[in-house]
Structures are given as C-alpha cells and as structure tokens.
Amino acid sequence: MENYSFVIMKCIAIDDETLALELIRSYVNKIPFLELCGTFTDPFEAMNFLSRNKTDLIFTDIEMADINGVQLISSLQYKPMVIFITAYERYAIDGFMLDAVDYILKPVNFERFLKGVNKAHDLLNKTNNTPPGASVPVVVKPIHAPDHIFVKTENKLVKVMLSDILYIEGYGDYVKIHIRDGRTIVTLNNMSALEEKLPEDNFIRVHRSFIVAIDKIDEVERRRIKIGRELIPVSDSYAEAFVNKLDQTSL
C-alpha cells in the first residue's frame, strides 16, 4: 500500500464569543492535518501570540471589541493565511482585498468549514513545492452523528439538543425552534440552511414553513401532523417524501 503524508497546518482561532471558539475547536479536532495552537477572545492577545509563533492559518471573526478582524489582519507584518468566519456579508470585499482564503458566514456547518480548510491546505502544499500531479488525500476522522446544533440568537450562540426539538417553524429570514420543555428559540436563519444541519434520519421538511422531528409525531391524519397540541400541515410538494419516510418506520 502506498504511503501518503500531508503538511500539518498550525492554526489559531479568534472570536469574542467563546461558544464560537468551541465550535471551531470541535471542527479542527476532526481534521488530522490541522493543529490548533491557541484560541483567543482578545484580538490583542492573538496579535502578541502571532508575533512570537509561526502560524499557517488564522480563523477570525470580524466584528469584535476594540479592533475588528480586518484591521487585525491588516496590521500584521507577517500575514498567515486567513479564513474569516463572520455573521456579516458586508466585509466580503475587505476580505478579498486581504487575499483571504475563504469568507464563511455564520452559522457554519462542518462541510462548509472543511471546504475552506481544504483550500488553505492546497495553497500550503503548493507553497511547499508539492510535486506537480501529486495528490494529498484529505483523511478526516469519522464524524459521529451530531446530538446538538448551535444557533445564534441575539448576541450569543445557544446549544440546542436535537432530541429536544419538536418542530421548526419558518418566518422569512427567521426561524422558531420549538423545544419540548415549552421554550421557543428564535434565530436569524432560513429554513434551507437549518435543514442542512439536521440529520435526515429523524428530521423532515413537510411544508415550506415547517420541519418536524419524526420521533415526536403523535398522529398523522388528513395531511396534518399532531405534535402535542400543535397541528402542522403537510403541503403537496413535500407529501410524497413524508409518506415514504413514514413507510420506513410503519408496520
């Protein structure tokens, strides 16, 4: 069997939200060619670290207290590769001008994160004179089915256990996540983006404005789903897929 090797990238993460840093840490831990050398909620501490330590890649938020991510990167004498991870689209041109490897909008899922990291890894391999035509396979540790998601509400990321979700309701650019303890979490997001995060084995979209947890369904009658006291419609465009899904678990 042919042996492969890959270049290890030393990286750091900068964000003034600790939950965002935890999410990045969890993603980095799944990628064997990344080595996380530090996480920072204070951009100035990050700048101090960068002045003393060789770093290949920076993950950074943009809007932070005292100095934003664009200013931080612009101020560095030696500029590692950078991937901006932010909730704001308006800095995309600034990122382009700084030759950012990628510009990822929050909330970010692992697949989108990995896509940006692969870009950076390809660039690093080229810099290190990888022979033309050589392939450096990306070996990712097995991804276990997630048991939670993080959603942004107000100015924080909130952890939501998938087992607690009853159904999700869409309102234009906002969604309401209905939890079994009676809580409702409102987040600035769209249904399609949230649908991609949810494991399809237990969540299914049944209407343009509704996603339901299959294991929370009490009854289905006349294209209406009953979950607790709530009645959720099944629209024509989603009916066939919903029925097929139920057939997999029906006797």
Side-chain angles (χ1 to χ4, degrees), residues 36-100:
L36 187 62
C37 299
T39 60
F40 304 89
T41 56
D42 184 341
F44 294 104
E45 288 184 7
M47 292 169 68
N48 184 44
F49 177 91
L50 290 166
S51 69
R52 295 180 289 104
N53 297 274
K54 182 181 181 299
T55 304
D56 300 307
L57 177 62
I58 301 171
F59 302 101
T60 182
D61 193 8
I62 292 185
E63 288 207 348
M64 298 179 286
D66 300 323
I67 184 172
N68 68 38
V70 171
Q71 294 168 333
L72 185 154
I73 299 301
S74 299
S75 70
L76 298 177
Q77 184 174 3
Y78 166 72
K79 293 181 175 60
M81 292 182 290
V82 60
I83 294 177
F84 288 111
I85 300 179
T86 176
Y88 302 97
E89 295 182 4
R90 60 179 176 270
Y91 297 102
I93 294 177
D94 294 319
F96 175 78
M97 296 300 292
L98 288 170
D99 293 324

Side-chain angles (χ1 to χ4, degrees), residues 172-213:
D173 291 332
Y174 291 85
V175 296
K176 286 184 177 181
I177 303 175
H178 296 266
I179 307 299
R180 62 181 174 183
D181 64 3
R183 289 183 299 136
T184 299
I185 298 173
V186 179
T187 179
L188 179 61
N189 212 320
N190 62 66
M191 292 289 280
S192 296
L194 192 53
E195 185 179 11
E196 289 181 3
K197 286 187 171 186
L198 299 170
E200 61 182 20
D201 59 335
N202 194 42
F203 290 89
I204 187 166
R205 195 162 182 175
V206 296
H207 188 278
R208 183 170 58 90
S209 301
F210 289 97
I211 297 171
V212 299

